[in-house]
């Protein structure tokens, strides 16, 4: 009896599904990409949907910066979250698919190097010391803190960091090792920052890196290391103020959203981007990111109004770009 | 006298040996029983400990609001509305797809299929499919449903993916249920001139219904907790809205737009919360886990109840 009912039901279902597919009447903004940008975009999406009484809907996925661009350049998403600028290979993919994009920096993040709170011998680290730990040549060789700096004790060095699909990994390796994606491979890698937090909080000799927000939420379990950009420079601890002043170098990085220009023709995408640029500063601060100055959001809005496509980075990874510099540059596509 | 004494001694000696033997066997009995109980307790206690750990963290979060709120960046406002609605709709699609296909395949293999090497190959493959890791189904679904058929990251895609996943379970359950029916029932039907289809339709399927339903529900209970294949098709997403309702006030009253809607499900919402930096979200994840475990237990209980009810009506 049950079987007799369900067969025609399933047939009807299959038929209806094919019939319904083209008629996508829902107004949905599709966003995917970096897990670092996710908290900001999620906050904006939540408020946006409340403001629009759920008539306009937003989905925010997490596939990593690289994964997000893959979907974006196939025109599967309207907006891509990115914790680094678009790369040459991705620009090429977008161009082939005829996807034009507007690059909008939305906030700054302070990539934070953390150690175990019981670690009492590290007061600061220079970029050169970080390089000694993380460069590919260190693989299998640098195993003790003593080998990083002779004044440190002989404590086993345990490294924790994000996996190679992550924009955070790309940025850190560029800033510290001088080449994006070039890192030693024998460290505990996880895309889940909580795993890194747990790892560092359980081992006295551990060190790791991730976005500032994760450090802020886990201050009891971790200690942030002040960074010395180059010899003679002062050690600067990560903080919102240091990022705004431009003194937390080279690990302060801009985070972006990339908007498909064609999607901007849709009312829901246009309104969402407007909403993002209007309320982004406040919401970014709330989720522990560093907002850009007001002028920056104004310039962004002009870019959207004019439809200024392309990237200001030319597909190269870059470190140490200040906020003002970022906005003055002319886009290349 | 002496001889009798020796005889008694001998007798007593044998008796003692026998008693010792019995005692040693009983000791072994006791030993194995304790090992068995320990083995059982290990599994049960692990589950109970896990359940209570989750309950301690999660119970304070389980309020009516938790079920009626969308996910949010503020842990105390966040809820599982879009997740449980999503899970329910996905399960609906899964059941509607897996039941006819699985039962059909099971009935064919058991009643119609000729005994040859082709059938053997199919049987071996069906059994093997049950052991394929779920992520492989996710990859298949990504290639086939999402890209080839262009169904996107929709409820329909997720439902069909999970249907594939539980299909072997449904097929095997159907076959087991059919095999439990005495051959005499079939022979009786044939003797009265019933055709194969009449026999299957009027006897085999009704009698095996209890077993089939149990299999289906156990399959669905497995599917509802699956995360890997759903993440593979790209549903790791913040969703703070519901799919369009399946029924509407105006003609044609039913609406199938929900099938193409983006969605989230319970295990994914849990996964999203566990990867948050804020401590408070861990409580939300525990609460969602608790709801999910209770959903699974209820489904399994339902399976047992249905089997009990239907078996009671069958007498042969």
């Amino acid at each position: 009896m049950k079987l007799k009912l369900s067969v025609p039901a399933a047939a009807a279902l299959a038929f209806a599904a094919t019939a319904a597919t083209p008629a996508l009447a829902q107004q949905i903004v599709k966003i995917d990409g970096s897990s670092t940008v996710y908290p900001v975009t999620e906050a904006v999406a939540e408020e946006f949907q409340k403001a629009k009484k759920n008539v306009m809907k937003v989905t925010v996925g997490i596939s990593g910066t690289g994964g997000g661009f893959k979907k974006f350049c196939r025109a599967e998403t309207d907006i891509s979250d990115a914790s680094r600028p678009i790369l040459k290979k991705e620009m090429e993919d977008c161009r082939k698919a005829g996807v034009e994009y507007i690059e909008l920096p939305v906030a700054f993040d302070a990539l934070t190097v953390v150690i175990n709170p019981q670690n009492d011998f590290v007061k600061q680290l220079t970029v050169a010391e970080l390089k000694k730990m993380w460069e590919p040549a260190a693989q299998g060789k640098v195993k003790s803190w003593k080998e990083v700096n002779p004044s440190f004790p002989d404590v086993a060095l345990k490294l924790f960091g994000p996996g190679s699909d992550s924009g955070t990994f790309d940025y850190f390796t560029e800033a510290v090792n001088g080449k994006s994606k070039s890192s030693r491979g024998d460290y505990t890698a996880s895309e889940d920052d909580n795993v890194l937090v747990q790892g560092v909080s359980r081992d006295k000799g551990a060190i790791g890196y991730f976005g500032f927000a994760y450090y802020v939420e886990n201050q009891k379990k971790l200690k942030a290391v002040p960074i010395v950009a180059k010899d003679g420079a002062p050690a600067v601890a990560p903080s919102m103020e240091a990022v705004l002043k431009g003194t937390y170098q080279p690990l302060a990085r801009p985070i972006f959203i990339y908007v498909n220009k064609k999607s901007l023709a849709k009312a829901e995408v246009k309104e969402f981007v407007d909403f993002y640029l209007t309320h982004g500063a406040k919401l970014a601060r709330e989720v522990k990111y560093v907002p850009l100055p007001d002028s920056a959001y104004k310039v962004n809005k002009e870019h959207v109004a004019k439809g200024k496509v392309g990237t200001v980075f030319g597909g190269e990874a870059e470190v140490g770009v200040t906020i003002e510099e970022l906005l003055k540059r002319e886009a290349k596509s | 006298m002496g001889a009798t004494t020796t005889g008694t001694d001998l007798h007593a000696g044998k008796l003692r040996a026998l008693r010792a033997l019995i005692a040693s066997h009983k000791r072994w009995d006791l030993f194995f029983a304790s090992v068995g109980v320990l083995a059982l307790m290990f599994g049960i206690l692990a589950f109970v400990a896990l359940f209570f750990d989750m309950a301690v963290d999660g119970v304070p979060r389980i309020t009516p609001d938790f079920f009626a709120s969308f996910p949010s960046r503020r842990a105390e406002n966040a809820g599982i509305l879009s997740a449980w609605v999503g899970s329910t709709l996905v399960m609906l699609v899964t059941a509607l797809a897996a039941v006819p296909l699985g039962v059909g395949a099971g009935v064919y293999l058991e009643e119609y299929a000729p005994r040859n090497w082709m059938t053997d190959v199919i049987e071996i493959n069906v059994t093997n499919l049950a052991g394929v890791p779920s992520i492989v189904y996710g990859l298949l679904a990504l290639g086939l449903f999402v890209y080839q058929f262009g169904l996107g990251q929709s409820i329909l895609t997720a439902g069909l993916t999970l249907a594939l996943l539980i299909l072997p379970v449904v097929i095997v359950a159907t076959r087991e249920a059919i095999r439990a029916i005495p051959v005499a029932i079939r022979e009786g039907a044939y003797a009265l001139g019933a055709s194969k289809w009449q026999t299957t339709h009027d006897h085999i399927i009704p009698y095996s219904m209890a077993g089939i339903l149990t299999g289906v529900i156990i399959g669905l209970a497995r599917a509802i907790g699956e995360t890997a294949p759903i993440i593979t098709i790209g549903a790791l997403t913040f969703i703070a809205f519901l799919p369009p309702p399946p029924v509407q006030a105006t003609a044609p009253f039913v609406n199938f737009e929900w099938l193409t809607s983006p969605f989230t499900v319970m295990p994914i919402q849990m996964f999203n919360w566990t990867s948050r930096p804020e401590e408070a979200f861990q409580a939300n994840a525990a609460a969602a886990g608790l709801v999910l475990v209770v959903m699974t237990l209820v489904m399994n209980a339902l399976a047992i109840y249905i089997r009990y009810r239907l078996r009671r009506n069958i007498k042969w």
Side-chain angles (χ1 to χ4, degrees):
Chain A
M1 200 45 211
K2 288 236 160 72
L3 185 72
K4 260 200 282 180
L5 272 177
S6 62
V7 173
L13 197 82
F15 171 72
T18 37
T21 310
L24 247 177
Q26 293 189 73
Q27 293 187 304
I28 298 180
V29 183
K30 284 195 167 182
I31 307 174
D32 209 329
S34 165
S35 60
T36 310
V37 189
Y38 176 83
V40 186
T41 304
E42 181 203 41
V44 176
E46 192 183 340
E47 294 305 318
F48 177 73
Q49 288 179 95
K50 265 186 212 150
K52 297 292 167 198
K53 303 271 179 289
N54 276 336
V55 174
M56 292 179 178
K57 300 167 179 178
V58 187
T59 69
V60 190
I62 303 175
S63 329
T65 302
F69 274 128
K70 270 181 207 145
K71 291 184 187 172
F72 182 72
C73 291
R74 284 197 297 253
E76 285 172 26
T77 52
D78 300 312
I79 295 173
S80 209
D81 287 343
S83 62
R84 58 156 171 76
I86 189 167
L87 296 177
K88 276 223 173 78
K89 167 84 179 54
E90 292 154 351
M91 291 165 71
E92 185 66 14
D93 288 346
C94 271
R95 204 177 49 79
K96 269 188 207 146
V99 172
E100 285 189 302
Y101 48 85
I102 300 167
E103 177 184 74
L104 303 170
V106 289
F108 258 81
D109 178 32
L111 223 162
T112 305
V113 177
V114 294
I115 52 174
N116 190 288
Q118 285 174 20
N119 182 329
D120 44 12
F121 51 88
V122 175
K123 304 282 181 235
Q124 60 181 56
L125 283 172
T126 65
V127 173
E129 281 165 345
L130 283 175
K131 185 171 186 222
K132 244 185 219 170
M133 291 179 211
W134 286 97
E135 67 186 348
Q139 178 145 348
K141 285 192 190 122
V142 179
K143 288 178 186 160
S144 158
W145 281 93
K146 205 176 167 61
E147 292 162 73
V148 177
N149 183 333
S151 70
F152 292 153
D154 188 13
V155 174
L157 177 69
K158 298 272 173 59
L159 298 154
F160 294 85
S164 59
D165 246 5
S166 143
T168 307
F169 171 82
D170 293 349
Y171 190 88
F172 184 84
T173 46
E174 172 75 30
V176 169
N177 297 338
K179 189 166 182 298
S180 181
K181 292 192 187 295
S182 128
S183 164
R184 72 192 287 178
D186 55 344
Y187 68 96
T188 308
S190 175
E191 303 293 351
D192 182 349
D193 291 339
N194 274 320
V195 174
L196 306 179
V197 170
Q198 298 301 339
V200 175
S201 66
R202 278 178 197 156
D203 194 319
K204 196 186 164 194
I207 183 165
Y209 64 91
F210 39 71
F212 187 61
Y214 265 82
Y215 162 68
V216 173
E217 294 296 343
N218 292 285
Q219 287 186 57
K220 274 177 263 164
K221 295 185 213 161
L222 305 166
K223 199 154 86 177
V225 184
I227 301 295
V228 181
K230 49 183 173 282
D231 288 338
V236 182
S239 69
M240 290 211 180
E241 295 70 37
V243 172
L244 273 179
K245 272 190 268 164
T247 53
Y248 186 66
Q249 290 293 354
L251 294 179
R253 58 172 174 169
I255 58 175
F256 306 88
I257 58 171
Y258 284 77
V259 186
N260 185 326
K261 198 185 171 196
K262 258 188 215 133
S263 298
L264 265 184
K266 291 191 277 187
E268 62 271 23
V269 179
K270 176 82 177 58
E271 286 197 32
F272 180 77
V273 172
D274 274 349
F275 194 90
Y276 209 130
L277 297 175
T278 309
H279 302 277
K282 191 176 118 264
L283 293 169
R285 187 180 286 279
E286 193 190 311
V287 294
K288 311 290 187 282
Y289 284 72
V290 184
L292 307 178
D294 289 344
S295 61
Y297 294 101
K298 219 171 277 164
V299 175
N300 271 337
K301 277 188 180 167
E302 281 165 25
H303 287 174
V304 173
K306 277 193 241 148
K308 179 189 170 201
V309 294
T311 169
V312 297
F313 293 91
E316 302 292 342
E318 248 182 273
V319 295
V321 184
T322 61
I323 299 166
E324 286 74 20
E325 204 182 324
L326 189 70
L327 295 163
K328 266 186 241 138
R329 294 200 193 169
E330 277 304 311
K332 304 177 269 257
S333 53
Chain B
M1 184 71 194
T4 326
T5 316
T6 330
T8 321
D9 279 354
L10 199 66
H11 186 68
K14 264 190 187 163
L15 203 64
R16 229 178 290 122
L18 197 63
R19 285 215 173 112
L21 191 66
I22 292 172
S24 112
H25 282 179
K26 283 211 166 142
R27 270 201 302 280
W28 276 107
D29 268 354
L30 191 68
F31 175 71
F32 277 114
S34 339
V35 169
V37 168
L38 271 180
L40 188 68
M41 281 300 132
F42 187 75
I44 290 183
L45 284 181
F47 174 74
V48 169
L50 203 67
F51 191 79
F52 273 97
D53 186 44
M54 233 160 43
V56 167
D57 289 346
V59 163
R61 285 291 297 129
I62 297 186
T63 58
D65 272 350
F66 189 62
F67 292 92
S69 311
F70 288 119
S72 163
R73 66 182 184 285
R74 296 196 186 93
E76 66 278 10
N77 298 340
I80 52 170
L81 179 59
S82 46
W84 72 257
V85 172
S87 273
T88 310
L89 291 175
V90 168
M91 283 305 109
L92 188 67
V93 176
T94 304
L96 287 178
V99 171
L101 285 176
V103 173
V107 169
Y108 172 81
L109 280 176
E110 213 48 46
E111 296 292 316
Y112 289 85
R115 293 275 149 237
N116 58 20
W117 64 270
M118 191 62 180
T119 313
D120 287 345
V121 169
I122 293 175
E123 282 185 6
I124 291 170
N125 275 311
V126 168
T127 325
N128 280 343
L129 275 181
V132 171
S134 56
I135 186 111
V136 175
Y137 286 100
L139 289 175
L140 171 76
L142 182 67
L144 192 68
F145 298 138
V146 178
Y147 290 121
Q148 209 66 38
F149 296 168
L151 297 179
Q153 291 147 14
S154 59
I155 291 178
L156 186 63
T157 305
L160 292 178
T161 309
L162 294 179
L164 280 185
L165 186 80
I166 67 165
L167 208 47
V169 180
V170 177
I171 294 175
V172 170
T174 304
R175 299 187 62 190
E176 296 289 331
I178 290 176
R179 266 184 228 161
I181 299 171
V183 185
I185 300 277
R186 285 188 195 86
E187 286 169 348
Y190 292 141
L192 291 172
S195 70
K196 201 159 202 173
W197 168 239
Q198 283 169 328
T199 311
T200 307
H201 178 261
D202 295 341
H203 299 282
I204 304 295
I205 291 181
Y207 299 156
S208 55
M209 205 41 129
I212 293 175
L213 279 179
T214 312
V216 168
I217 294 174
I218 286 174
L220 288 177
R222 177 182 168 193
I224 200 169
E226 274 297 342
T227 323
I230 308 257
I231 286 187
T232 317
I233 62 173
L236 181 49
T237 312
F238 170 76
I239 302 266
F241 56 85
L242 293 181
V247 280
Q248 59 194 32
T250 54
F253 303 109
V254 284
N255 184 339
F256 287 101
E257 244 182 68
W258 59 275
L259 282 170
T260 58
S261 176
F263 69 101
T264 186
V265 291
M266 295 286 297
I268 289 190
Q269 188 58 60
M270 227 182 122
F271 180 73
N272 179 306
W273 280 336
T274 54
S275 58
R276 297 273 183 153
E278 299 94 331
E279 214 48 69
F281 276 108
Q282 306 305 326
N284 281 3
L290 208 59
V291 174
L292 192 59
V293 170
V294 170
M295 275 167 118
T296 315
L297 287 179
V298 166
M299 283 171 95
N300 284 330
L302 193 69
I304 294 169
Y305 178 70
I306 287 175
R307 187 168 51 196
Y308 166 74
R309 278 300 295 268
L310 292 178
R311 286 257 168 93
R312 213 174 46 180
N313 298 334
I314 296 174
K315 291 191 182 68
W316 48 46

